[in-house]
Amino acid sequence: MGRDGAQPAPLRTHRMDVVRYWGEAVALVAADHPEHARRAAQAVRVEYEVLKPLSDPEEALSDDAPRLHPDGNITRRIKIRRGDQDPHADVVVKGEYEVGMQDQAPLGPESGLAIPDGEGGVDLYIATQWLHVDRDQLAECLGLPPEKVRLTMAGIGGAFGAREDLSMQAHACMLALRCGRPVKMAYSRSESFVGHVHRHPARMRYEHGATRDGKLMYVRARILLDGGAYASSSTAVISNACCFAVGPYECANAAIDGWVVYTNNPPCGAMRGFGSVQNCYAHEAQMDKLAEALGMDPVDVRIRNALETGSSLITGQVIDGPVPVAELLRRVKAMPQPAAAASAHLDLTQMPGGVSNTTHGEAVRRGVGYAVGFKNVGYSEGFNDYSTARVKLSVAGGRPRVEVHTAGAEVGQGLVTVQAQIAGTELGVHDVAVLNADTQVGSSGSSSASRQTYITGGAVKAACEAVRERVLALAVSELSGLGRADSDADESGWRLEHDAIVAADGSTVITLATLLGEEVIEETREFRPRRTARLDAETGQANAHMQFAFAAHRAVVDVDTELGLVKVVELATAQDVGKAINPQAVEGQLEGGAAQGLGLAVMEEIQVKDGVIRNPSFTDYLLPTTLDMPPVRMDILELGDPNAPYGLKGVGEPPTISSGPAIVSAIRSASGRPVNRVPVRPHDLLGV
Amino acid sequence: MKVTFTVNGQRVSADEVWEGESLLYILRERLGLYGSKNACEQGECGSCSVYVDGTLVCACLVLGGQAQGRDIVTVEGIADGHALHPVQQAFVEAGAVQCGFCTPGLIVAAHDLLRHTPEPTTVEIREALAGNICRCTGYAKILDAVHLAAERMAST
Ligand code: FES
Ligand code: FES
């Protein structure tokens, strides 16, 4: 379900008479062997009256298009109006841009195990981004009270937004409850491609006006997202696409119009970058065009207009905390560039076309491109966001031990490690266990929107602080009871370190094992970030977002201008992460996120024709391999956000936003072609 | 049909195997060896990499019946009991694991590379691991891990 619950999920568990997309579940079959189930499913006959699919989002907007849902085809319309609506500009550049449909392609296909409890309830072992929202939807689908539906996290083979919506959860539970037996359900790769939402394809029309010296005077944009057959998180994705439509630039005058519409295409929803990926291709192409029209350096024109602390967004929100847009650009520009391929030592893997041996350097041109992007961290527009953590301190085997329990989904981003680090740091205890996530503890919200280290990290920190307070209070009362007046003197300086309470001078006051004995100290806390507000329907003005994260990229590419083949030679990035809680994991996010950006720029697209996915396999949907992904030069800034726990910022999404646009900019400069559509295909570079 | 083979040094057999089952299916669903992963069943991602008679293969592309009488080594057979193999240890230390779904396949593939090429260049590592898809890491830390493992194995 979309998080403001617009339209039910791309899953229905009741009798239906309309199928809105190719891939919608219509029947369930369980068997004792997958092959039996496959054959039985083939034997199911469904009678369809086939209608002409509505597959063009532009057409979906028109009045005479068939209405795919009772409320019509517009899932959400966004209007942002700021400043002068008829401003003067010396220079005007226009462009139309298109982004294809990307798939999250997490390596682990959707799967789960549902076990009926014999009393009408069900236990589900599942890979999901948000246990509690799954549980609530399942309870509703199954007609059960929430306490009869218990979820336990199974290992998650990547997510990237693909596991925000239900996939096979309800189906496995229905079968298990009906059969009275455990049911395991796992998607094949082709089912996975069809069975989860994708990144929204976008069509964008932009107009930028600037003064002769490069100051942005206005931006007008029209953004149309194809949401496919069901809403998923479309209403939030279009909000992001519009709020950040101008990019991280000061722009006093703006008119942004956005629509996300229903079509009969595969449903689209969350994917890393969430609306900010699509618009970044457009606003960064526009900034390059502007630079060219003005005869300015593309980085300079960006720096000239860069947001800074205290700037207003086009939504009227004033951003506080560090806003290092200009600094990030300066840094990526200053980084050393890779040497041109040495012809003496021909390395085919470094050539466009790679080991297919299509060129030894003939017709290969190098290009360099820059891009910068930003987005919100955490949920926006008034969403009641929070996370819950339970922390328990006890003594086991003569040593203190901390158990951290949250429902936060470890999707590979490193949440388990971060929780352990926070608890270990706050309580000074070496032995920290992070329990497996389940619905026995309160919600942690979703592993989405780069929010978990901030929100669930914040909850673990708060619960640890509550435990620590009790430990120190206990120590004071126990020790004064023992007449240890010497240590009473400055108990305000006591801290927890190395499994003990340590005084300000570093001496051990008492070990935790001695202090606690049999005593168990357990605290549960909820952490809530700053509140946000919904965009005004007419003007799009609001303090809609909680935190902003920025990254800049530089790409160096080689293009075979005769064959239209591209080799990305190097990516360089600078990103402010506030505080790197786990520096190695932060680097991993920057590298992995850039790889997904590269994928959308030059390789990855779900091909949809008349609503049918034509390439639902790893053979036909191309993912970056070791031969496609270049080294990533990184400059990680830790500028500290005064509002966030430890000063940290969400890290996961910015790497996926500006990496692709930087690559496309470099391709433009190498090929001399306009390139207004991603992924870039060979024929786009040859003009055929 | 009944299929009998050796896996990680132990003789095993599976009864009532359907002729269309892959070696991967037998390993996971019949023998409970969940280390080898199923991500594509098309030989594209390398998540199911195992050794068959010492040759690196995608277990999803090997029919169960073809395993008859063979010597199979899975990722579970790479470690020495509870002591991690240097390749595994290097993956942990280098941060080469995010979601971990690609990891077992990469461990076996990297293990195979280092058997043949103990001191691989970055280009050789890239080529050797090009059949293993990782969606999370962008590969940089995986390359680091293989270099680290090679260094350590050379010095022992
Ligand atoms: S599952 Fe065997 S190669 Fe992908
Ligand atoms: S770590 Fe997730 S696919 Fe490689």
Side-chain angles (χ1 to χ4, degrees), chain A residues 325-682:
Chain A
V325 178
E327 176 66 12
L328 298 176
L329 285 162
R330 272 186 216 110
R331 287 188 181 226
V332 286
K333 192 175 181 188
M335 288 186 201
Q337 286 195 23
S343 46
H345 307 283
L346 179 69
D347 174 6
L348 281 178
T349 64
Q350 293 305 304
M351 288 287 158
V355 290
S356 305
N357 199 11
T358 49
T359 177
H360 289 186
E362 315 84 279
V364 172
R365 305 269 175 281
R366 177 154 292 189
V368 179
Y370 293 88
V372 59
F374 80 134
K375 86 174 282 289
N376 51 338
V377 171
Y379 284 171
S380 297
E381 285 207 74
F383 189 88
N384 178 21
D385 198 7
Y386 71 95
S387 179
T388 319
R390 184 190 296 158
V391 171
K392 183 168 119 181
L393 174 64
S394 61
V395 178
R399 293 188 59 201
R401 175 185 163 87
V402 174
E403 281 178 6
V404 180
H405 193 186
T406 73
E410 168 64 71
V411 295
Q413 83 278 46
L415 182 61
V416 167
T417 307
V418 158
Q419 293 180 74
Q421 279 183 268
I422 291 174
T425 305
E426 294 297 331
L427 295 175
V429 170
H430 292 290
D431 183 7
V432 179
V434 177
L435 305 188
N436 192 31
D438 58 31
T439 49
Q440 310 289 310
V441 62
S443 174
S444 279
S446 186
S447 287
S448 303
S450 309
R451 65 180 277 291
Q452 281 294 26
T453 303
Y454 191 128
I455 318 276
T456 294
V460 172
K461 180 169 184 275
C464 287
E465 284 163 354
V467 167
R468 186 172 58 208
E469 217 169 284
R470 281 184 55 193
V471 170
L472 292 174
L474 179 70
V476 169
S477 74
E478 294 273 310
L479 294 178
S480 61
L482 292 173
R484 294 258 306 262
D486 55 326
S487 47
D488 287 358
D490 57 349
E491 65 210 26
S492 61
W494 289 1
R495 57 185 193 273
L496 270 60
E497 215 175 271
H498 300 310
D499 294 351
I501 295 178
V502 173
D505 64 2
S507 62
T508 299
V509 177
I510 186 170
T511 66
L512 290 177
T514 310
L515 175 67
L516 290 172
E518 301 281 285
E519 179 120 11
V520 174
I521 297 184
E522 180 179 304
E523 289 291 339
T524 302
R525 285 290 179 279
E526 283 178 1
F527 176 82
R528 284 166 202 277
R530 304 201 267 187
R531 286 309 295 255
T532 57
R534 198 168 164 85
L535 295 179
D536 180 88
E538 288 310 310
T539 64
Q541 302 296 295
N543 288 337
H545 307 291
M546 186 268 282
Q547 190 189 48
F548 303 92
F550 305 86
H553 284 85
R554 180 191 69 197
V556 177
V557 309
D558 283 341
V559 174
D560 181 333
T561 53
E562 285 175 352
L563 294 174
L565 298 174
V566 172
K567 168 71 194 170
V568 182
V569 176
E570 190 207 70
L571 285 166
T573 184
Q575 181 171 335
D576 171 26
V577 303
K579 168 81 187 160
I581 300 295
N582 187 313
Q584 190 183 56
V586 166
E587 290 174 9
Q589 289 297 305
L590 268 57
E591 291 159 342
Q596 292 182 358
L598 177 147
L600 176 57
V602 296
M603 306 173 75
E604 298 180 31
E605 182 173 9
I606 295 192
Q607 308 280 345
V608 181
K609 188 147 185 292
D610 295 330
V612 179
I613 297 180
R614 313 305 294 243
N615 57 342
S617 75
F618 279 177
T619 308
D620 299 315
Y621 182 91
L622 301 183
L623 292 161
T625 70
T626 49
L627 294 176
D628 304 298
M629 186 57 197
V632 182
R633 242 182 242 278
M634 286 179 279
D635 196 347
I636 296 170
L637 283 72
E638 298 181 275
L639 302 180
D641 180 340
N643 292 304
Y646 305 110
L648 69 84
K649 278 198 176 197
V651 169
E653 292 173 287
T656 310
I657 297 173
S658 46
S659 45
I663 291 169
V664 174
S665 172
I667 293 174
R668 273 188 215 107
S669 110
S671 66
R673 294 275 168 190
V675 189
N676 51 16
R677 184 191 190 283
V678 288
V680 180
R681 301 155 299 191

Side-chain angles (χ1 to χ4, degrees), chain A residues 32-35 38-39 102-109 156-158 160 184 188-189 271-272 347 349-350 355 410-413 584-585 587-589 591-593 595-596 599 604 617-621 623-632 634, chain B residues 16-18 20-21 25 28-30 34 37-47 90-103 106 122-144:
Chain A
D32 54 2
H33 191 285
E35 185 59 18
R38 244 173 255 136
R39 291 186 190 183
Q102 188 180 21
D103 192 73
Q104 302 86 346
L107 210 58
I156 303 179
F160 318 115
K184 172 168 159 180
S188 67
R189 180 52 56 184
M271 183 173 173
R272 194 177 197 170
D347 174 6
T349 64
Q350 293 305 304
V355 290
E410 168 64 71
V411 295
Q413 83 278 46
Q584 190 183 56
E587 290 174 9
Q589 289 297 305
E591 291 159 342
Q596 292 182 358
E604 298 180 31
S617 75
F618 279 177
T619 308
D620 299 315
Y621 182 91
L623 292 161
T625 70
T626 49
L627 294 176
D628 304 298
M629 186 57 197
V632 182
M634 286 179 279
Chain B
E16 291 175 42
V17 170
W18 170 59
E21 279 175 30
Y25 185 90
R28 288 180 55 85
E29 308 299 331
R30 297 192 179 275
Y34 296 112
K37 301 293 179 223
N38 177 353
C40 75
E41 279 189 298
Q42 274 190 335
E44 292 288 346
C45 74
S47 310
F91 267 65
V92 173
E93 287 175 33
V97 182
Q98 286 188 28
C99 82
F101 209 82
C102 67
T103 311
L106 275 156
T122 300
V123 170
E124 285 170 327
I125 301 173
R126 285 186 186 275
E127 287 206 75
L129 302 184
N132 291 75
I133 291 174
C134 172
R135 186 53 158 166
C136 299
T137 64
Y139 304 106
K141 303 231 174 305
I142 291 171
L143 304 181
D144 292 348

Side-chain angles (χ1 to χ4, degrees), chain A residues 209-284:
Chain A
T211 61
R212 211 154 280 124
D213 65 347
K215 183 173 161 46
L216 211 49
M217 289 308 292
Y218 72 87
V219 174
R220 293 193 189 112
R222 176 187 190 274
I223 298 175
L224 175 61
L225 300 182
D226 182 353
Y230 291 93
S232 180
S233 45
S234 280
T235 55
V237 175
I238 187 67
S239 171
N240 267 19
C242 292
C243 285
F244 309 115
V246 169
Y249 305 112
E250 293 247 18
C251 184
N253 310 305
I256 312 295
D257 291 284
W259 291 265
V260 58
V261 295
Y262 292 118
T263 63
N264 292 120
N265 288 327
C268 291
M271 183 173 173
R272 194 177 197 170
F274 205 82
S276 282
V277 167
Q278 292 92 331
N279 65 28
C280 191
Y281 279 100
H283 64 67
E284 289 306 273

